[in-house]
Amino acid sequence: MANAEYLLAIDNGTQSVRVLVFDQQGNEVAKSKVTIEPYFSRHPGWAEQDAGYYWENLQEAFRRLWAQGKVTPDQIRGVSLTTQRYTMINLDENYQPLRPAIVWMDQRQAAVETPVGGIWGVLIKTLGLSHLIREMRAKARDNWIAQHEPDVWAKTRYYVNLSAWLTYCLSGELKDSTGSIVGYLPYDYKRQQWAKPSDLKWKLLSATRGMMPDLVSPGEQLGQVSAAAAALTGLPAGLPMIAAASDKACEVMGAGGLDAHIGCLSYGTTATINTTTAKYIETIPFIPPYTAAVPGHYNTEMMIYRGFWMVSWFKEELAHNEQRLAAERGVEPEQLFDELVNQVPAGSMGLMMQPYWSPGVRQPGPEGKGALIGFGDVHKRAHIYRAILEGLAYELRQGKEQIEKRSRVPITRLRVSGGGSQSDAAMQLTADIFGMTAERPHTSETSGLGAAINCAVGLGIYPDYRTAIMKMTRVGQVFEPEFKTVRLYDRLYKEVYRKMYKRMKPLYQSIREITGYPQ
């Protein structure tokens, strides 16, 4: 590999597996994409996928990549992996999956029959954390499996993220990156390593330390591509595999978000706003920041759990006409949605959407639900679609203000990435709702680019992350806020949106008590 010059990134997201090749300036050289089924559901609220399904589709992505003829395996200098977060897999002593992976969107909950006792119980009550601790115990997938599938749990030797599973498939090493550990796991987010034996998390969860993979920091070597994986993927045996981070963390870095004053919006299945900081800051008290793709740093994330998933919902439920037209024109339906947005004035003629379509824990609260208010006889499908985009942007603006309040660092620049950022209409209304210039990175594949940056630094191509980010990221198209529209949105945000949840909360609580949903 003496002449190898390219960096290869694997991005296993919720809806596709992508293999991307970048040069050392962050330009996309080649790309292969395989669409996958996000999950199957054996019961309402369940979301599962076979672990082997991810590995098989990754192999198919490699076959398609090499078939393009744009790059050859001997041109690849190293590989990094980024994946969706908190998709968990049970492995036996031979590293074989024991059951389908439980995907991050799964909503099942374990039974929590007794409170935590002893001094821990007293401390939890004193700090007002009883509900938060109960939610952790209920939503931890290992607790559910131990309760409902004890035979599977008894055979479980390793309990790992999708990132660790694919690392094992590629290298034969059961390791993971600290940047990929997200979810209800015995992880110390402040120290960025598995929790100490005395940590409360080990008492709350069924998993043991011996089930956890070894961890390395982003930019460190996980292993090398094994001979077996080389035969299946076409990658050269012995190719260095460098640790990256989760898809959201890599997306922040791929958007150039190295400093705390840069707010990075992700318009993906889950919509988020993040900054990167060297300080440990709990944006929501007692909710830890996630490990960033930059070693020793944190992402101050605020999340809308089902963010641009709502666009998929709109497409499936209300956009049959666009699906038909898209099929006739040979394009994706989402490409036609900007036409819908532009049919409607800013503010959607009074229609307002609150995007709490999945229950929260502390933000906004477990009773949170979605809402559309302000309907009138003028409203049509286009108004609903624009109101969805506006509601997501309002909520992310609220997240920006919360991050600024907790970090005491004003956000002065806004980068927007993810699939939804490819919509010019969504970019413009984002600039208008935030009252700030909205910058689109030069590539839509920011998550893959972030992983490639980890690879570049890990291989010594660049001496540090600031240099690598400066060389490999840049701003593409820029959207300027329009003054009149900014004033309109600012009033709707301050006088309506920020008051909606407080006014609706008692009704959401009553709905939950009467119907039992989502419990």
Side-chain angles (χ1 to χ4, degrees):
M1 294 182 287
N3 296 320
E5 57 179 321
Y6 296 139
L7 304 162
L8 188 143
I10 298 165
D11 185 354
N12 193 146
T14 302
Q15 301 184 64
S16 67
V17 178
R18 299 188 294 284
V19 177
L20 305 121
V21 179
F22 294 94
D23 65 19
Q24 295 177 22
Q25 288 71 49
N27 300 305
E28 184 182 304
V29 177
K31 170 183 172 180
S32 171
K33 176 181 175 180
V34 177
T35 301
I36 61 173
E37 290 295 326
Y39 62 87
F40 59 81
S41 186
R42 295 184 288 171
H43 298 282
W46 287 24
E48 299 179 321
Q49 189 51 269
D50 290 324
Y53 177 78
Y54 295 114
W55 177 226
E56 291 163 6
N57 279 283
L58 178 55
Q59 294 171 49
E60 175 60 23
F62 273 109
R63 284 190 287 269
R64 296 184 186 183
L65 177 73
W66 306 131
Q68 294 172 8
K70 295 179 179 178
V71 295
T72 56
D74 63 330
Q75 293 178 292
I76 306 301
R77 190 161 171 179
V79 57
S80 284
L81 165 71
T82 182
T83 71
Q84 56 184 273
R85 309 186 298 192
Y86 199 45
T87 289
M88 301 302 299
I89 300 169
N90 296 69
L91 302 176
D92 66 16
E93 60 185 6
N94 297 312
Y95 305 95
Q96 297 304 303
L98 289 164
R99 68 176 318 285
I102 300 183
V103 178
W104 65 269
M105 289 181 283
D106 193 281
Q107 296 181 43
R108 75 189 80 184
Q109 295 192 14
V112 181
E113 298 174 352
T114 56
V116 178
I119 188 66
W120 279 115
V122 174
L123 184 61
I124 288 166
K125 287 182 180 179
T126 302
L127 294 174
L129 299 178
S130 297
H131 176 71
L132 183 66
I133 295 299
R134 187 199 175 281
E135 287 287 314
M136 179 181 184
R137 296 170 72 189
K139 292 186 176 182
R141 280 75 186 274
D142 55 331
N143 287 349
W144 187 93
I145 296 169
Q147 287 181 7
H148 295 272
E149 298 178 359
D151 291 344
V152 170
W153 192 248
K155 296 175 184 176
T156 299
R157 176 64 182 85
Y158 304 103
Y159 180 63
V160 301
N161 275 293
L162 173 61
S163 48
W165 162 245
L166 289 179
T167 296
Y168 172 76
C169 292
L170 287 161
S171 69
E173 301 272 0
L174 194 65
K175 293 183 179 180
D176 209 347
S177 168
T178 55
S180 296
I181 307 302
V182 174
Y184 300 100
L185 292 165
Y187 181 70
D188 186 329
Y189 287 91
K190 190 170 187 177
R191 295 169 59 243
Q192 299 190 353
Q193 55 187 269
W194 294 124
K196 293 178 179 179
S198 59
D199 195 296
L200 173 63
K201 296 184 186 73
W202 296 111
K203 300 179 185 297
L204 304 177
L205 303 171
S206 298
T208 64
R209 177 63 183 87
M211 293 179 176
M212 304 291 102
D214 292 336
L215 297 180
V216 304
S217 296
E220 294 182 2
Q221 186 163 322
L222 285 164
Q224 298 178 337
V225 173
S226 67
L232 294 170
T233 63
L235 289 169
L239 187 73
M241 188 168 181
I242 306 298
S246 69
D247 52 4
K248 293 296 183 186
C250 284
E251 195 170 334
V252 173
M253 187 158 69
L258 181 59
D259 298 307
H261 71 91
I262 301 175
C264 294
L265 303 185
S266 172
Y267 280 174
T269 306
T270 293
T272 58
I273 179 167
N274 270 295
T275 64
T276 301
T277 173
K279 293 175 61 178
Y280 179 89
I281 298 168
E282 294 179 351
T283 309
I284 302 171
F286 302 108
I287 302 294
Y290 295 142
T291 302
V294 181
H297 286 64
Y298 306 90
N299 287 148
T300 57
E301 179 171 301
M302 294 292 287
M303 173 199 306
I304 306 172
Y305 191 70
R306 291 186 183 270
F308 271 70
W309 168 88
M310 291 188 211
V311 174
S312 299
W313 172 84
F314 179 87
K315 179 175 71 173
E316 295 301 322
E317 303 299 332
L318 298 172
H320 299 153
N321 183 55
E322 282 71 28
Q323 290 191 61
R324 179 183 58 79
L325 288 174
E328 292 175 359
R329 299 180 190 179
V331 298
E332 293 296 321
E334 288 83 354
Q335 294 182 29
L336 305 181
F337 288 176
D338 273 11
E339 297 175 16
L340 283 177
V341 177
N342 294 328
Q343 291 173 20
V344 176
S348 302
M349 300 181 75
L351 194 62
M352 300 281 288
M353 191 277 290
Q354 192 172 57
Y356 303 141
W357 291 34
S358 287
V361 180
R362 292 179 72 85
Q363 177 66 28
E367 71 290 316
K369 293 186 180 297
L372 277 162
I373 66 170
F375 272 109
D377 58 2
V378 298
H379 291 124
K380 302 184 185 300
R381 290 182 316 115
H383 298 84
I384 294 174
Y385 183 67
R386 186 175 184 111
I388 287 173
L389 298 185
E390 290 173 340
L392 291 171
Y394 287 138
E395 182 63 19
L396 291 171
R397 174 176 167 178
Q398 191 163 275
K400 167 186 172 288
E401 293 171 358
Q402 177 72 3
I403 291 171
E404 290 174 324
K405 178 182 177 181
R406 296 288 293 182
S407 68
R408 299 182 181 179
V409 177
I411 292 174
T412 61
R413 299 188 70 175
L414 210 60
R415 303 272 167 81
V416 191
S417 56
S421 70
Q422 299 313 294
S423 161
D424 286 357
M427 290 292 296
Q428 185 59 54
L429 70 82
T430 299
D432 293 335
I433 286 175
F434 278 77
M436 297 174 64
T437 300
E439 303 170 343
R440 182 188 283 159
H442 79 277
T443 176
S444 61
E445 298 290 354
T446 46
S447 184
L449 178 57
I453 292 171
N454 280 129
C455 195
V457 177
L459 293 173
I461 294 171
Y462 295 112
D464 53 59
Y465 282 93
R466 189 165 296 279
T467 302
I469 290 170
M470 181 180 68
K471 295 288 188 181
M472 297 180 70
T473 71
R474 51 198 169 276
V475 172
Q477 193 171 357
V478 171
F479 294 80
E480 298 290 345
E482 298 173 351
F483 182 66
K484 286 180 61 177
T485 310
V486 168
R487 286 190 299 174
L488 170 73
Y489 276 134
D490 195 55
R491 288 196 64 189
L492 286 172
Y493 172 70
K494 291 177 178 176
E495 298 175 34
V496 182
Y497 187 82
R498 288 204 308 196
K499 299 178 180 179
M500 281 176 67
Y501 181 71
K502 185 176 181 180
R503 302 278 179 89
M504 303 283 280
K505 184 177 179 179
L507 301 181
Y508 291 153
Q509 290 171 328
S510 295
I511 290 171
R512 188 180 189 184
E513 291 168 6
I514 294 166
T515 67
Y517 183 81
Q519 294 302 104

